């Protein structure tokens, strides 16, 4: 009985003791909650400093709430910068309120992002610095066996006054960013502002974005609703305006909206977004852009590049090991002259690139290493390509496939139609570089003091084009101008075109180098062409022969067209020096022969135009015409010395064998090969016959007069 009574008494005492302890604990918690656990400030500082391996300061007033989740309010939060960084701190914030849910902490693993329910800061100053080796001020203690955590997910972020200094060696960024959120009044929606100014990749940059709601970082979840946003960026002289929605700005960076961009060159835009784009004339474009899961989709409704009008649809997939740009480039009007900056006539910022030493060919290094940044697969479909003032008809249409594959770029399957004829073939550039070379450069410039272990490869070029059945009378503007002038002046007869016939030929050239000048100075290969059923102005023939009497007669009586019985040109290029294997035009009255060379390296001309007459004129001065001197100021003059019959004859004979050799190899288009061969064979026979006759005449003169040489 006594034992039972004692047990019951002990149980009651134990229950009372537990109740007292629980009440005391509840009381302590209640008091702690009311007071905000101020005595935990220093232990919390030490614990956070140890865990993050950074010096952490939590400034009074300190208030901590544990019921219903963690809620921390401090007068200031200070996080030091890691060793090796020239920064006073990583973060210095005043009046900070932080909310965390227990379930988010319990479900946290080693690789997922921290989730913050709410963060409210009155003033915040951050120093975001990253070195070339990837170490940064925002990296804390990290298990080397696991990847770095992504940026924290902040569901509600409110910063009254914030700024961040960003210095990133990897992206070459040096920025000052200011941001704030206005909560609004009378239940109006909050509005966030972000402004940035500084340098990016060596150029001045500034921009601003305004979003409805909290700062975009607050929407970093897959299912978070997008925020209405409007912003702009100025990079050098490039201006980008955006009006649409953004979400997950520090996560997947989902974007959708209207886009308007203008600037001095597409290359500068490519530099901004790290996409390979050519140097061009000034441009402006507008359209729609959408980014989701590292995939960009862009629809360009209207683009003006120089005088060209373009449009297109493009997809840029950054998920691949080498990003891929695909799509279609379309255009209502493309000016070929607008392509000149891509070959060195202008710098990336739109300024004129002047060749050195008074040369004519651009020698600005092209940004070919950037072809290794991405791959591309783009269909080109241009309705109208203006070839310039020398041509009266455009290319319409022009279709081709533009591909970039690990630094190898090609414009293949070219199908261009002009003047009832066509141009086809490919242009290829092999700019593939070893990884060490690519990684050590940005836009062709060294980014580190340590040179690459592997020397850069020399860029290789290849041009393989063929043109068929191009109507020269319709194609060349000079003939059209001549006939239009006659009509405008009310003349009863319209003069014939300077040149008629169908042009056929091919170009097979290779070269190497990082600039247009280097490419042309290393050309190897050949260019061959012929004109079928053509004619040439009589006036041109007589002027080339300096036949004064007949030229005056043409001016008085009117010009006539002379049929070209054989018109062939076969040029050979070797180490940038272009020489004619054969270059002749044979008409019933005169055979025109061209010899000499064109030196693309020194940019000098050394050509001789000889006219071998088939008739007699008392005032004929048949000295060859010399075209000599630099490209920038060539000189045209008759060859000095006596009438150069021997020189003309030697040129004619030099062409006989090469002409016979190339005739079977010429692609004649729709022209019958047998007729071309017959016509040029007859020209060969006439050359040989005339030469034999000339030699016989000279020998007879020597016999009758030994002083004749």
């Amino acid at each position: 009985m006594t034992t039972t009574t004692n047990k019951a008494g002990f149980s009651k005492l134990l229950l009372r003791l537990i109740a007292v302890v629980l009440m005391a604990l509840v009381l302590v918690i209640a008091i702690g909650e009311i007071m905000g656990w101020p005595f935990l400030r220093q232990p919390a500082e030490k614990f956070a400093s140890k865990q993050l391996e950074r010096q952490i300061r939590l400034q009074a007033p300190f208030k901590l709430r544990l019921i219903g989740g963690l809620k921390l309010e401090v007068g200031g939060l200070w996080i030091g910068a890691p060793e090796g960084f020239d920064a006073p701190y990583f973060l210095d914030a005043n009046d900070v309120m932080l909310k965390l849910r227990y379930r988010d902490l319990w479900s946290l693993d080693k690789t997922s992002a921290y989730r913050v329910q709410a963060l409210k800061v009155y003033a915040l100053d951050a120093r975001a610095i990253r070195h070339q080796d990837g170490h940064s001020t925002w990296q804390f203690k990290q298990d080397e066996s696991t990847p770095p955590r992504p940026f924290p997910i902040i569901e509600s972020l409110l910063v009254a006054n914030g700024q961040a200094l960003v210095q990133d060696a990897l992206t070459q960024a040096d920025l000052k960013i200011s941001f704030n959120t206005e909560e609004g009044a009378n239940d109006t929606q909050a509005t966030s502002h972000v402004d940035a100014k500084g340098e990016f990749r060596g150029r001045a940059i500034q921009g601003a974005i305004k979003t409805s709601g909290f700062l975009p970082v607050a929407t970093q979840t897959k299912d978070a609703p997008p925020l209405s946003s409007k912003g702009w960026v100025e990079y050098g002289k490039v201006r980008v305006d955006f009006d649409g929605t953004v979400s997950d700005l520090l996560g997947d960076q989902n974007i959708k909206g209207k886009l308007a961009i203008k600037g001095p060159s597409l290359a500068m835009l490519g530099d901004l977004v790290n996409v390979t784009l050519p140097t061009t004339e000034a441009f402006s474009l507008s359209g729609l852009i959408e980014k989701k899961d590292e995939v960009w989709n862009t629809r360009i409704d209207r683009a003006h590049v120089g005088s060209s009008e373009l449009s297109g649809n493009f997809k840029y997939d950054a998920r691949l090991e080498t990003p891929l740009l695909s799509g279609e480039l379309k255009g209502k009007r493309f000016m070929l002259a607008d392509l000149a900056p891509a070959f060195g006539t202008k710098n990336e910022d739109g300024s004129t690139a002047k060749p050195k030493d008074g040369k004519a060919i651009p020698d600005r290094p092209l940004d070919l290493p950037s072809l290794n940044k991405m791959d591309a697969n783009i269909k080109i479909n241009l309705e109208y390509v203006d070839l310039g003032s020398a041509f009266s008809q455009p290319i319409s249409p022009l279709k081709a496939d533009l591909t970039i594959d690990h630094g190898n770029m090609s414009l293949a399957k070219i199908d261009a139609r002009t003047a009832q004829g066509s141009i086809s073939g490919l242009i290829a550039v092999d700019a593939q570089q070893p990884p060490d070379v690519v990684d050590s450069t940005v836009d062709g410039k060294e980014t580190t003091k340590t040179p690459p272990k592997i020397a850069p490869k020399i860029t290789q070029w290849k041009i393989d084009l063929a043109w068929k059945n191009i109507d020269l009378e319709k194609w060349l503007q000079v003939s059209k101008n001549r006939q239009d002038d006659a009509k405008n002046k009310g003349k009863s007869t319209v003069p014939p075109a300077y040149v008629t016939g169908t042009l056929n030929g091919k170009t097979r050239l290779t070269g190497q180098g990082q600039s247009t000048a280097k490419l042309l100075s290393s050309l190897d290969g050949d260019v061959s062409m012929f004109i079928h059923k053509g004619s040439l102005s009589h006036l041109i023939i007589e002027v080339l022969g300096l036949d004064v009497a007949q030229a005056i007669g043409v001016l008085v009586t009117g010009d006539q067209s002379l049929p070209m019985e054989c018109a062939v040109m076969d040029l050979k290029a070797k180490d940038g020096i272009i020489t004619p294997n054969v270059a002749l035009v044979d008409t019933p009255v005169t055979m025109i022969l061209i010899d000499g060379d064109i030196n693309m390296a020194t940019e000098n001309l050394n050509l001789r135009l000889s006219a071998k007459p088939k008739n007699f004129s008392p005032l004929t001065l048949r000295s060859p015409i010399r075209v000599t001197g630099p490209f920038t100021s060539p000189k045209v003059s008759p060859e000095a010395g006596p009438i150069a019959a021997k020189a003309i004859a030697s040129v004619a004979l030099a062409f006989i064998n090469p002409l016979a050799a190339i005739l079977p190899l010429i692609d004649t288009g729709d022209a019958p090969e047998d007729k071309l061969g017959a016509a040029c064979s007859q020209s060969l026979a006439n050359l040989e016959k005339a030469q034999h006759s000339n030699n016989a005449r000279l020998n007879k003169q020597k016999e009758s007069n030994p002083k004749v040489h």
Side-chain angles (χ1 to χ4, degrees), residues 500-531:
T500 69
T502 57
L503 177 67
N504 292 268
K506 66 177 186 293
T507 298
R508 292 177 181 173
L509 295 169
T510 61
Q512 60 184 20
Q514 291 288 108
S515 68
T516 302
K518 292 290 186 183
L519 164 65
L520 294 178
S521 65
S522 65
L523 284 179
D524 287 330
D526 57 80
V527 179
S528 61
M529 64 188 78
F530 84 96
I531 299 174

mmCIF file of all heavy atoms in Angstrom, residues 500-531:
data_model
loop_
_atom_site.group_PDB
_atom_site.id
_atom_site.type_symbol
_atom_site.label_atom_id
_atom_site.label_comp_id
_atom_site.label_asym_id
_atom_site.label_seq_id
_atom_site.Cartn_x
_atom_site.Cartn_y
_atom_site.Cartn_z
ATOM 1 N N THR A 500 28.342 42.872 -126.237
ATOM 2 C CA THR A 500 27.192 41.971 -126.178
ATOM 3 C C THR A 500 27.701 40.533 -126.126
ATOM 4 O O THR A 500 28.892 40.268 -126.286
ATOM 5 C CB THR A 500 26.273 42.150 -127.392
ATOM 6 O OG1 THR A 500 26.953 41.670 -128.570
ATOM 7 C CG2 THR A 500 25.881 43.612 -127.590
ATOM 8 N N GLY A 501 26.764 39.611 -125.913
ATOM 9 C CA GLY A 501 27.108 38.196 -125.868
ATOM 10 C C GLY A 501 26.791 37.593 -124.516
ATOM 11 O O GLY A 501 26.403 38.291 -123.572
ATOM 12 N N THR A 502 26.928 36.287 -124.414
ATOM 13 C CA THR A 502 26.707 35.599 -123.141
ATOM 14 C C THR A 502 28.051 35.234 -122.520
ATOM 15 O O THR A 502 28.922 34.664 -123.190
ATOM 16 C CB THR A 502 25.860 34.336 -123.332
ATOM 17 O OG1 THR A 502 26.487 33.477 -124.279
ATOM 18 C CG2 THR A 502 24.469 34.689 -123.817
ATOM 19 N N LEU A 503 28.203 35.574 -121.257
ATOM 20 C CA LEU A 503 29.444 35.349 -120.525
ATOM 21 C C LEU A 503 29.381 34.020 -119.786
ATOM 22 O O LEU A 503 28.411 33.737 -119.075
ATOM 23 C CB LEU A 503 29.677 36.484 -119.537
ATOM 24 C CG LEU A 503 30.917 36.364 -118.640
ATOM 25 C CD1 LEU A 503 32.188 36.460 -119.457
ATOM 26 C CD2 LEU A 503 30.889 37.422 -117.540
ATOM 27 N N ASN A 504 30.409 33.221 -119.946
ATOM 28 C CA ASN A 504 30.547 31.967 -119.213
ATOM 29 C C ASN A 504 31.964 31.889 -118.653
ATOM 30 O O ASN A 504 32.905 32.427 -119.242
ATOM 31 C CB ASN A 504 30.293 30.763 -120.115
ATOM 32 C CG ASN A 504 28.855 30.667 -120.568
ATOM 33 O OD1 ASN A 504 28.031 30.012 -119.933
ATOM 34 N ND2 ASN A 504 28.540 31.332 -121.676
ATOM 35 N N GLY A 505 32.104 31.208 -117.510
ATOM 36 C CA GLY A 505 33.447 31.081 -116.955
ATOM 37 C C GLY A 505 33.434 30.456 -115.575
ATOM 38 O O GLY A 505 32.391 30.039 -115.056
ATOM 39 N N LYS A 506 34.631 30.399 -114.986
ATOM 40 C CA LYS A 506 34.747 29.822 -113.645
ATOM 41 C C LYS A 506 35.924 30.456 -112.923
ATOM 42 O O LYS A 506 36.859 30.985 -113.542
ATOM 43 C CB LYS A 506 34.928 28.305 -113.723
ATOM 44 C CG LYS A 506 36.231 27.836 -114.358
ATOM 45 C CD LYS A 506 36.334 26.322 -114.310
ATOM 46 C CE LYS A 506 37.674 25.804 -114.801
ATOM 47 N NZ LYS A 506 37.928 26.011 -116.187
ATOM 48 N N THR A 507 35.848 30.394 -111.602
ATOM 49 C CA THR A 507 36.919 30.882 -110.734
ATOM 50 C C THR A 507 37.234 29.808 -109.712
ATOM 51 O O THR A 507 36.340 29.339 -109.003
ATOM 52 C CB THR A 507 36.493 32.170 -109.989
ATOM 53 O OG1 THR A 507 36.236 33.193 -110.945
ATOM 54 C CG2 THR A 507 37.588 32.637 -109.043
ATOM 55 N N ARG A 508 38.487 29.415 -109.650
ATOM 56 C CA ARG A 508 38.937 28.462 -108.637
ATOM 57 C C ARG A 508 40.205 29.020 -108.008
ATOM 58 O O ARG A 508 41.288 28.951 -108.600
ATOM 59 C CB ARG A 508 39.177 27.088 -109.250
ATOM 60 C CG ARG A 508 37.895 26.402 -109.714
ATOM 61 C CD ARG A 508 38.165 25.068 -110.382
ATOM 62 N NE ARG A 508 36.921 24.452 -110.833
ATOM 63 C CZ ARG A 508 36.861 23.343 -111.576
ATOM 64 N NH1 ARG A 508 37.994 22.737 -111.937
ATOM 65 N NH2 ARG A 508 35.708 22.844 -111.948
ATOM 66 N N LEU A 509 40.052 29.585 -106.825
ATOM 67 C CA LEU A 509 41.164 30.253 -106.164
ATOM 68 C C LEU A 509 41.269 29.807 -104.711
ATOM 69 O O LEU A 509 40.264 29.500 -104.065
ATOM 70 C CB LEU A 509 40.975 31.775 -106.212
ATOM 71 C CG LEU A 509 41.005 32.439 -107.594
ATOM 72 C CD1 LEU A 509 40.549 33.881 -107.488
ATOM 73 C CD2 LEU A 509 42.395 32.357 -108.219
ATOM 74 N N THR A 510 42.489 29.797 -104.208
ATOM 75 C CA THR A 510 42.734 29.569 -102.786
ATOM 76 C C THR A 510 43.665 30.660 -102.283
ATOM 77 O O THR A 510 44.402 31.286 -103.062
ATOM 78 C CB THR A 510 43.371 28.193 -102.531
ATOM 79 O OG1 THR A 510 44.624 28.119 -103.208
ATOM 80 C CG2 THR A 510 42.460 27.068 -102.997
ATOM 81 N N GLY A 511 43.631 30.889 -100.982
ATOM 82 C CA GLY A 511 44.498 31.883 -100.369
ATOM 83 C C GLY A 511 44.522 31.684 -98.873
ATOM 84 O O GLY A 511 43.858 30.788 -98.329
ATOM 85 N N GLN A 512 45.286 32.528 -98.205
ATOM 86 C CA GLN A 512 45.371 32.416 -96.760
ATOM 87 C C GLN A 512 45.646 33.779 -96.157
ATOM 88 O O GLN A 512 46.168 34.675 -96.819
ATOM 89 C CB GLN A 512 46.471 31.433 -96.350
ATOM 90 C CG GLN A 512 47.868 31.806 -96.827
ATOM 91 C CD GLN A 512 48.902 30.751 -96.478
ATOM 92 O OE1 GLN A 512 48.577 29.611 -96.214
ATOM 93 N NE2 GLN A 512 50.165 31.146 -96.452
ATOM 94 N N GLY A 513 45.265 33.936 -94.883
ATOM 95 C CA GLY A 513 45.524 35.199 -94.202
ATOM 96 C C GLY A 513 44.333 35.698 -93.420
ATOM 97 O O GLY A 513 43.196 35.272 -93.640
ATOM 98 N N GLN A 514 44.601 36.640 -92.509
ATOM 99 C CA GLN A 514 43.589 37.179 -91.612
ATOM 100 C C GLN A 514 42.972 38.473 -92.123
ATOM 101 O O GLN A 514 42.127 39.044 -91.453
ATOM 102 C CB GLN A 514 44.207 37.443 -90.237
ATOM 103 C CG GLN A 514 44.596 36.186 -89.468
ATOM 104 C CD GLN A 514 43.379 35.442 -88.965
ATOM 105 O OE1 GLN A 514 43.030 34.376 -89.456
ATOM 106 N NE2 GLN A 514 42.717 35.993 -87.967
ATOM 107 N N SER A 515 43.397 38.950 -93.292
ATOM 108 C CA SER A 515 42.841 40.187 -93.842
ATOM 109 C C SER A 515 42.644 40.012 -95.341
ATOM 110 O O SER A 515 43.184 39.088 -95.964
ATOM 111 C CB SER A 515 43.774 41.365 -93.575
ATOM 112 O OG SER A 515 44.973 41.243 -94.328
ATOM 113 N N THR A 516 41.874 40.921 -95.932
ATOM 114 C CA THR A 516 41.651 40.869 -97.371
ATOM 115 C C THR A 516 42.962 41.047 -98.126
ATOM 116 O O THR A 516 43.212 40.376 -99.135
ATOM 117 C CB THR A 516 40.646 41.958 -97.786
ATOM 118 O OG1 THR A 516 39.422 41.760 -97.067
ATOM 119 C CG2 THR A 516 40.359 41.904 -99.270
ATOM 120 N N ALA A 517 43.822 41.940 -97.634
ATOM 121 C CA ALA A 517 45.113 42.164 -98.285
ATOM 122 C C ALA A 517 45.963 40.896 -98.247
ATOM 123 O O ALA A 517 46.588 40.522 -99.253
ATOM 124 C CB ALA A 517 45.841 43.320 -97.610
ATOM 125 N N LYS A 518 46.016 40.212 -97.088
ATOM 126 C CA LYS A 518 46.794 38.980 -96.980
ATOM 127 C C LYS A 518 46.226 37.894 -97.891
ATOM 128 O O LYS A 518 46.965 37.139 -98.520
ATOM 129 C CB LYS A 518 46.793 38.501 -95.527
ATOM 130 C CG LYS A 518 47.563 39.388 -94.571
ATOM 131 C CD LYS A 518 49.057 39.312 -94.822
ATOM 132 C CE LYS A 518 49.824 40.092 -93.775
ATOM 133 N NZ LYS A 518 51.288 40.101 -94.041
ATOM 134 N N LEU A 519 44.906 37.809 -97.948
ATOM 135 C CA LEU A 519 44.273 36.812 -98.806
ATOM 136 C C LEU A 519 44.652 37.034 -100.267
ATOM 137 O O LEU A 519 45.114 36.114 -100.952
ATOM 138 C CB LEU A 519 42.753 36.879 -98.642
ATOM 139 C CG LEU A 519 41.918 36.191 -99.728
ATOM 140 C CD1 LEU A 519 42.151 34.693 -99.717
ATOM 141 C CD2 LEU A 519 40.444 36.522 -99.558
ATOM 142 N N LEU A 520 44.467 38.260 -100.756
ATOM 143 C CA LEU A 520 44.718 38.534 -102.170
ATOM 144 C C LEU A 520 46.196 38.405 -102.524
ATOM 145 O O LEU A 520 46.538 38.027 -103.641
ATOM 146 C CB LEU A 520 44.208 39.934 -102.518
ATOM 147 C CG LEU A 520 42.685 40.125 -102.417
ATOM 148 C CD1 LEU A 520 42.301 41.554 -102.745
ATOM 149 C CD2 LEU A 520 41.946 39.158 -103.323
ATOM 150 N N SER A 521 47.076 38.709 -101.574
ATOM 151 C CA SER A 521 48.508 38.620 -101.860
ATOM 152 C C SER A 521 49.011 37.181 -101.860
ATOM 153 O O SER A 521 50.181 36.943 -102.154
ATOM 154 C CB SER A 521 49.304 39.439 -100.841
ATOM 155 O OG SER A 521 49.182 38.891 -99.540
ATOM 156 N N SER A 522 48.148 36.225 -101.507
ATOM 157 C CA SER A 522 48.557 34.817 -101.490
ATOM 158 C C SER A 522 47.740 33.964 -102.453
ATOM 159 O O SER A 522 47.784 32.733 -102.384
ATOM 160 C CB SER A 522 48.409 34.258 -100.067
ATOM 161 O OG SER A 522 47.042 34.254 -99.673
ATOM 162 N N LEU A 523 47.009 34.583 -103.362
ATOM 163 C CA LEU A 523 46.104 33.840 -104.244
ATOM 164 C C LEU A 523 46.844 32.842 -105.129
ATOM 165 O O LEU A 523 47.881 33.152 -105.726
ATOM 166 C CB LEU A 523 45.323 34.804 -105.137
ATOM 167 C CG LEU A 523 44.160 35.567 -104.494
ATOM 168 C CD1 LEU A 523 43.510 36.484 -105.519
ATOM 169 C CD2 LEU A 523 43.135 34.611 -103.909
ATOM 170 N N ASP A 524 46.276 31.645 -105.198
ATOM 171 C CA ASP A 524 46.715 30.616 -106.139
ATOM 172 C C ASP A 524 45.468 30.081 -106.845
ATOM 173 O O ASP A 524 44.417 29.935 -106.225
ATOM 174 C CB ASP A 524 47.419 29.457 -105.426
ATOM 175 C CG ASP A 524 48.805 29.835 -104.938
ATOM 176 O OD1 ASP A 524 49.448 30.693 -105.567
ATOM 177 O OD2 ASP A 524 49.239 29.283 -103.906
ATOM 178 N N GLY A 525 45.608 29.772 -108.144
ATOM 179 C CA GLY A 525 44.477 29.189 -108.853
ATOM 180 C C GLY A 525 44.325 29.789 -110.235
ATOM 181 O O GLY A 525 45.287 30.303 -110.829
ATOM 182 N N ASP A 526 43.108 29.739 -110.758
ATOM 183 C CA ASP A 526 42.881 30.247 -112.110
ATOM 184 C C ASP A 526 41.480 30.799 -112.253
ATOM 185 O O ASP A 526 40.559 30.433 -111.521
ATOM 186 C CB ASP A 526 43.109 29.132 -113.140
ATOM 187 C CG ASP A 526 42.234 27.915 -112.883
ATOM 188 O OD1 ASP A 526 41.053 27.955 -113.261
ATOM 189 O OD2 ASP A 526 42.727 26.941 -112.283
ATOM 190 N N VAL A 527 41.355 31.702 -113.211
ATOM 191 C CA VAL A 527 40.077 32.304 -113.596
ATOM 192 C C VAL A 527 39.989 32.219 -115.116
ATOM 193 O O VAL A 527 40.890 32.694 -115.821
ATOM 194 C CB VAL A 527 39.972 33.771 -113.146
ATOM 195 C CG1 VAL A 527 38.637 34.365 -113.598
ATOM 196 C CG2 VAL A 527 40.141 33.896 -111.651
ATOM 197 N N SER A 528 38.946 31.606 -115.619
ATOM 198 C CA SER A 528 38.775 31.512 -117.068
ATOM 199 C C SER A 528 37.365 31.940 -117.450
ATOM 200 O O SER A 528 36.419 31.730 -116.692
ATOM 201 C CB SER A 528 39.037 30.081 -117.555
ATOM 202 O OG SER A 528 38.123 29.181 -116.955
ATOM 203 N N MET A 529 37.251 32.564 -118.635
ATOM 204 C CA MET A 529 35.941 33.032 -119.102
ATOM 205 C C MET A 529 35.963 33.171 -120.616
ATOM 206 O O MET A 529 37.029 33.297 -121.233
ATOM 207 C CB MET A 529 35.587 34.370 -118.446
ATOM 208 C CG MET A 529 36.518 35.509 -118.806
ATOM 209 S SD MET A 529 36.206 37.011 -117.848
ATOM 210 C CE MET A 529 37.006 36.571 -116.317
ATOM 211 N N PHE A 530 34.781 33.138 -121.207
ATOM 212 C CA PHE A 530 34.670 33.396 -122.643
ATOM 213 C C PHE A 530 33.304 34.008 -122.918
ATOM 214 O O PHE A 530 32.372 33.919 -122.103
ATOM 215 C CB PHE A 530 34.865 32.112 -123.445
ATOM 216 C CG PHE A 530 33.623 31.281 -123.574
ATOM 217 C CD1 PHE A 530 32.811 31.381 -124.691
ATOM 218 C CD2 PHE A 530 33.252 30.412 -122.563
ATOM 219 C CE1 PHE A 530 31.665 30.620 -124.802
ATOM 220 C CE2 PHE A 530 32.103 29.649 -122.673
ATOM 221 C CZ PHE A 530 31.302 29.750 -123.798
ATOM 222 N N ILE A 531 33.201 34.649 -124.076
ATOM 223 C CA ILE A 531 31.951 35.291 -124.493
ATOM 224 C C ILE A 531 31.471 34.602 -125.767
ATOM 225 O O ILE A 531 32.219 34.493 -126.748
ATOM 226 C CB ILE A 531 32.153 36.796 -124.731
ATOM 227 C CG1 ILE A 531 32.610 37.481 -123.438
ATOM 228 C CG2 ILE A 531 30.863 37.431 -125.243
ATOM 229 C CD1 ILE A 531 32.965 38.943 -123.610
#
